[in-house]
Amino acid sequence: MTGSIAASRLAMLTGDFDRSPAYSGLADRLRLLIAGGRVEVDLRLPSERDLSVALGISRTTVTRAYAALVEAGYAAARQGSGTYTRLPGGRRQAFDRSLTPHTGSDDLIDLSCAAPPAASGLATAYAEAAADLPLYLDGTGYFPTGLPALQQAIAETYDARGLPTEPDQILVVPGALSALMVVAQGLLRARDRALVESPGYPNGHAALRRAGARLVGAPMDVDGWDLDAVGRVVKGAGPQLAYVIPDFQNPTGNLMSNAQREQYAALLRRAGTVPVVDESHQALRLDGRPMPKPFAAFAPDAVTLGSLSKSLWGGLRVGWVRCPVGLVDQLVAARIAMDLGSPVFEQLVAARLLAERESHWSARRERLRAQRDALAVALSERLPDWRFRLPRGGLSLWCELPDHHHAGALDLSAEAELRDVAISAGPAFALDGGLDSFVRIPYTRPEDELRAAVDRIAGAWDAVTHGPAAAGTTRRTRVMVA
Ligand SMILES: Cc1ncc(COP(=O)(O)O)c(C=O)c1O
């Protein structure tokens, strides 16, 4: 899976660079572009002659810059074919061993995790944030509620969405899942009930269970929230909290309308149930239509969970809780029983990124939109009897398989893994089993990888539906994060 990058495009991305000496300034700039994902891995770089013309520098300078890149592990020269971008240590360094299935193949396309690579500009933000660090080094480095600059930057994102928020209402934690754990520890007593969506985010369910909650599921339709069912569950079970993902729900991709938010909030208010609203995918709107209001605009007692994992990068590990002022002390006490604060450096990086969030997010959206559309086209061509709705945002297609008497999503995902593509089957997202006629396919990889993945999935589907019953297939359970 390789392509190339034109000299004019690379020159545009490179921009101005340090000329003392020029080869090293150019190599540094290229290294940042590759490390930060603005120039993809496995791309053929322009010939030395073309790049020297595009940049108006000598060919020797480009030759030495390429040699420095190769030396640093960011490129490899292939005999007779050119210089290709790479990452030091190889691509597999970028993946966790417990998550990536062990097919032993470097060709694996891992779509089991619905999380995109880092947004462009991340490496630069890390490099620049180092300049902010000295200011903090004289203190203890412990910020159990968060770095004030980041609390402020996060509060401003709510102000901008029409939900006035004070920095003190923000508790910075390492990701939305941590945020949920803090809230669960802070709000739940043993054996309290918690309402969750089914299908829903499995690690969210696990976090609530570990906090001692008894989970009650409210069924999600392919089309959205069934508020009658929610009403019945709330009335019957009287849950202490309801864990809701209104923005591009994982895994269905559904977006809750303003009217539904209002109705949902009223239902919970009547029962004294606290809404715990996971907005992990909030920034990932892929069409031009305005987003509904934040759920908390309809429910002042709501606790909202946010994260930069999906809108910028999971590796930042920056998320937060936004809560009513009256809950802050209770949640800080719960947090302190788990950890004493998030790393200062990542918070500085996050504050910088949030200051320029619109440019990062619009680039991310453009990319995801192209990938979503490429995946949808490939699926419609190769698997025309599969059904899915094109979501207005988020990261995945939730696909319904046609009825088949002996093959389901678990068989398919096991067979697909043998063919070097990993996808998550519906049962992973179900509270009480079932959903074996669904698979989640994220559009978080480049288009050519997605097309190759669909070819392999189509082969796998053909094999499980036309081959012998897949009863003997070994299915491995594995860790799933996103
Ligand atoms: C709905 C939802 N909440 C939380 C998370 C975890 O995100 P974080 O990396 O912020 O902990 C995910 C990851 O997929 C998610 O989909």
Side-chain angles (χ1 to χ4, degrees):
M1 243 164 285
T2 50
S4 56
I5 178 164
S8 54
R9 166 127 183 98
L10 190 56
M12 194 266 289
L13 289 173
T14 305
D16 203 15
F17 54 87
D18 185 3
R19 310 253 165 172
S20 50
Y23 87 87
S24 129
L26 175 59
D28 266 357
R29 193 48 73 90
L30 293 175
R31 187 176 50 74
L32 271 181
L33 289 171
I34 298 164
R38 298 195 71 192
V39 170
E40 277 171 38
V41 175
D42 261 354
L43 276 194
R44 182 156 50 79
L45 290 169
S47 71
E48 290 155 10
R49 187 170 52 86
D50 287 354
L51 190 59
S52 69
V53 172
L55 286 171
I57 56 176
S58 78
R59 191 166 159 177
T60 323
T61 302
V62 179
T63 307
R64 292 187 68 191
Y66 278 8
L69 267 191
V70 170
E71 167 89 25
Y74 285 89
R78 291 189 200 155
Q79 197 72 46
S81 125
T83 304
Y84 287 74
T85 56
R86 48 169 293 177
L87 289 173
R91 195 168 170 267
R92 306 216 55 80
Q93 293 287 349
F95 298 92
D96 179 283
R97 292 215 211 125
S98 65
L99 304 181
T100 310
H102 301 281
T103 60
S105 161
D106 268 354
D107 197 27
L108 175 80
I109 303 175
D110 187 0
L111 299 178
S112 62
C113 186
S120 60
L122 255 276
T124 313
Y126 269 89
E128 290 174 354
D132 303 335
L133 197 57
L135 189 63
Y136 295 88
L137 296 177
D138 196 34
T140 64
Y142 289 102
F143 289 90
T145 58
L147 224 57
L150 181 56
Q151 289 175 296
Q152 170 86 39
I154 294 168
E156 277 166 15
T157 66
Y158 289 103
D159 291 342
R161 292 169 58 205
L163 185 66
T165 300
E166 292 300 324
D168 290 355
Q169 290 177 257
I170 305 294
L171 181 59
V172 178
V173 293
L177 188 60
S178 286
L180 180 60
M181 288 189 321
V182 168
V183 173
Q185 296 293 342
L187 298 190
L188 290 171
R189 285 162 314 176
R191 312 215 23 92
D192 271 350
R193 291 203 162 92
L195 180 149
V196 297
E197 297 162 339
S198 182
Y201 177 51
N203 296 326
H205 300 175
L208 291 165
R209 239 189 230 117
R210 293 256 165 188
R214 285 181 292 164
L215 304 193
V216 283
M220 287 280 302
D221 273 350
V222 269
D223 302 326
W225 287 261
D226 176 349
L227 293 186
D228 290 337
V230 171
R232 282 193 298 276
V233 173
V234 168
K235 203 161 168 208
Q240 164 68 13
L241 64 80
Y243 173 56
V244 190
I245 311 172
D247 301 323
F248 314 122
Q249 199 253 6
N250 187 0
T252 61
N254 287 322
L255 177 65
M256 198 185 284
S257 68
N258 275 323
Q260 286 174 316
R261 287 170 200 238
E262 188 172 14
Q263 203 185 331
Y264 205 140
L267 272 172
L268 298 181
R269 190 176 322 114
R270 280 198 291 277
T273 301
V274 181
V276 177
V277 184
D278 185 332
E279 294 190 339
S280 291
H281 300 95
Q282 199 280 331
L284 302 180
R285 165 185 59 81
L286 302 183
D287 62 13
R289 286 150 66 195
M291 282 293 282
K293 291 190 210 159
F295 195 100
F298 302 100
D301 62 331
V303 177
T304 302
L305 319 178
S307 171
L308 297 183
S309 291
K310 305 299 153 67
S311 63
L312 291 167
W313 190 38
L316 263 174
R317 306 309 308 136
V318 169
W320 58 88
V321 179
R322 176 199 181 275
C323 65
V325 178
L327 269 185
V328 170
D329 289 349
Q330 199 174 328
L331 295 185
V332 171
R335 193 263 167 88
I336 288 191
M338 291 159 71
D339 73 1
L340 299 175
S342 297
V344 170
F345 188 61
E346 267 67 14
Q347 294 191 68
L348 290 171
V349 176
R352 276 184 173 267
L353 290 165
L354 278 179
E356 295 184 353
R357 60 185 185 278
E358 277 316 320
S359 73
H360 295 298
W361 288 348
S362 65
R364 161 136 300 186
R365 289 174 186 139
E366 197 180 317
R367 185 96 198 247
L368 283 173
R369 196 180 306 119
Q371 291 171 184
R372 177 196 63 180
D373 295 346
L375 176 62
V377 167
L379 280 170
S380 306
E381 282 171 8
R382 301 286 278 113
L383 291 156
D385 50 357
W386 284 27
R387 282 187 300 168
F388 58 87
R389 278 170 155 257
L390 201 66
R392 280 186 56 195
L395 296 169
S396 312
L397 299 187
W398 180 239
C399 302
E400 186 169 8
L401 312 177
D403 278 344
H404 199 278
H405 54 282
H406 70 241
L410 286 166
D411 303 313
L412 171 68
S413 64
E415 179 65 30
E417 199 164 314
L418 298 176
R419 295 162 186 257
D420 275 340
V421 57
I423 46 174
S424 298
F429 305 93
L431 183 61
D432 300 312
L435 296 174
D436 195 31
S437 55
F438 289 88
V439 286
R440 184 191 69 175
I441 310 189
Y443 39 84
T444 44
R445 302 294 312 164
E447 286 100 305
D448 57 352
E449 262 185 61
L450 291 171
R451 283 189 279 268
V454 171
D455 278 346
R456 295 178 197 178
I457 293 169
W461 182 239
D462 189 53
V464 294
T465 48
H466 290 103
T473 319
T474 333
R475 292 171 187 149
R476 277 171 292 179
T477 43
R478 60 167 180 264
V479 183
M480 187 222 275
V481 287

